Amino acid sequence: MNLSWLEDFLALAASGNFSRAAEERNMTQPAFSRRIRALEEWLGVDLFDRSSQPARLTPAGDWFRPQAEELLARVARLPGEARAVSEANAATLRLAATHALSFSFVPGWLQSLEAHTARGPIRLVSDVLERCEALLAQRQVQFVVAHAPAAGRGELDAQGVPSVAIGADMLLPVHAPGAPERALLGFSDESGLGRIVRQTLGPELAAAGLLPVFTAHLASVLKSMALEARGLAWLPHSLVREELEKGRLRIAGPGHWQIAVEIRLYRDPGPLGAYAEAFWQAAAA
């Protein structure tokens, strides 16, 4: 039995349309139909009633659908579980951090922990929050460093992922002298900072007439645009401290537009190796 047959089956079960499912699976309809038939022959039962359009699941197909979903989910978990076994005695930390924190916060924070935990190799992945969350869910990293609302809960918190606050920051609305007042330099949907701004001020900013003129998922890109007087951007104070001190950027808007945020360390909720557990304890302390 080929595991890809299960994905074929679920695609057809979702639509009941052989042509649409074949297109979704990037193959011709005859080839797709042969794979469905091969799965049925392997099981020894018909999974679809082909006498109606769209094709409907037979009672055996209804039973098999959750089995296929669980089988694929189980296979998807195997690499992470294998890594967990392998890393039980591993001395390499796998850490993901959002782009802004990778540059402005993580290096100094890691150095501050060196006196409280054993030193060892660290592999850092810098990416948008959405990707960092996926890496943690797939157990490709053990920890994630990200901003989170100080007065609320982020996506990982809502999922019950263990975390500890390791720092504080502010999201500040900043612009360069002479920048257009209503031009908004915004974060794309993948950005964790963008999530916080939209969650906290989204309706108010729309009512204030701010018009998006540029979007990006990197705070560093928005900072460059803000310095060129292209508009207003919400950026971490840790990233623009020097520019504010030198007057190259200024804080705009009412005081409540300044959003208090935490910097949080999230961890894989499963068991970690001794080195990673010691790192977690040092960070929590």
Side-chain angles (χ1 to χ4, degrees):
M1 198 275 288
N2 191 321
L3 283 174
S4 63
W5 294 351
L6 300 180
E7 296 173 331
D8 298 338
F9 164 77
L10 292 175
L12 182 56
S15 67
N17 186 292
F18 276 83
S19 296
R20 188 181 310 160
E23 183 178 352
E24 180 182 332
R25 298 289 294 147
N26 297 312
M27 67 184 77
T28 65
Q29 182 176 334
F32 180 80
S33 298
R34 287 194 296 271
R35 287 161 66 108
I36 295 294
R37 181 58 71 187
L39 175 61
E40 291 176 319
E41 290 175 354
W42 182 78
L43 289 169
V45 296
D46 287 335
L47 297 173
F48 294 94
D49 178 0
R50 294 165 172 79
S51 65
S52 63
Q53 289 296 329
R56 287 185 286 189
L57 289 170
T58 63
D62 278 323
W63 168 84
F64 186 63
R65 188 173 192 171
Q67 311 304 321
E69 291 171 342
E70 173 55 28
L71 281 169
L72 288 173
R74 183 77 183 95
V75 169
R77 292 194 296 268
L78 287 175
E81 293 174 1
R83 283 191 293 270
V85 172
S86 174
E87 73 187 15
N89 297 305
T92 298
L93 290 177
R94 300 191 311 277
L95 181 73
T98 54
H99 288 294
L101 291 173
S102 296
F103 294 105
S104 63
F105 175 81
V106 169
W109 171 70
L110 288 175
Q111 186 175 13
S112 72
L113 288 180
E114 288 182 351
H116 306 286
T117 186
R119 297 188 183 187
I122 297 175
R123 183 159 62 90
L124 175 65
V125 177
S126 179
D127 215 320
V128 295
L129 179 57
E130 191 174 275
R131 178 59 179 158
C132 290
E133 292 169 341
L135 291 173
L136 186 65
Q138 296 162 7
R139 306 198 73 177
Q140 294 187 40
V141 298
Q142 301 151 312
F143 301 99
V144 165
V145 179
H147 285 100
R153 300 175 66 192
E155 187 72 22
L156 291 174
D157 299 290
Q159 297 172 17
V161 177
S163 69
V164 61
I166 56 174
D169 209 341
M170 293 288 292
L171 276 179
L172 301 176
V174 297
H175 65 96
E181 294 183 359
R182 297 185 181 276
L184 176 63
L185 308 173
F187 288 100
S188 57
D189 293 341
E190 302 94 334
S191 166
L193 295 178
R195 284 186 200 170
I196 295 173
V197 173
R198 288 189 295 272
Q199 177 183 340
T200 308
L201 296 172
E204 181 177 348
L205 298 185
L210 293 180
L211 301 176
V213 297
F214 183 83
T215 59
H217 61 265
L218 291 178
S220 57
V221 173
L222 296 185
K223 174 183 173 180
S224 296
M225 297 293 286
L227 286 169
E228 293 176 6
R230 300 288 294 275
L232 176 70
W234 265 259
L235 297 173
H237 180 252
S238 56
L239 189 65
V240 296
R241 179 184 293 108
E242 182 179 346
E243 288 73 16
L244 289 171
E245 291 174 352
K246 294 181 177 180
R248 298 176 62 196
L249 290 175
R250 299 175 181 174
I251 298 174
H256 70 273
W257 279 14
Q258 301 176 32
I259 306 171
V261 292
E262 291 180 340
I263 302 171
R264 301 194 71 83
L265 177 70
Y266 297 90
R267 61 159 286 172
D268 184 333
L272 302 175
Y275 180 41
E277 289 287 0
F279 177 83
W280 170 255
Q281 294 300 324

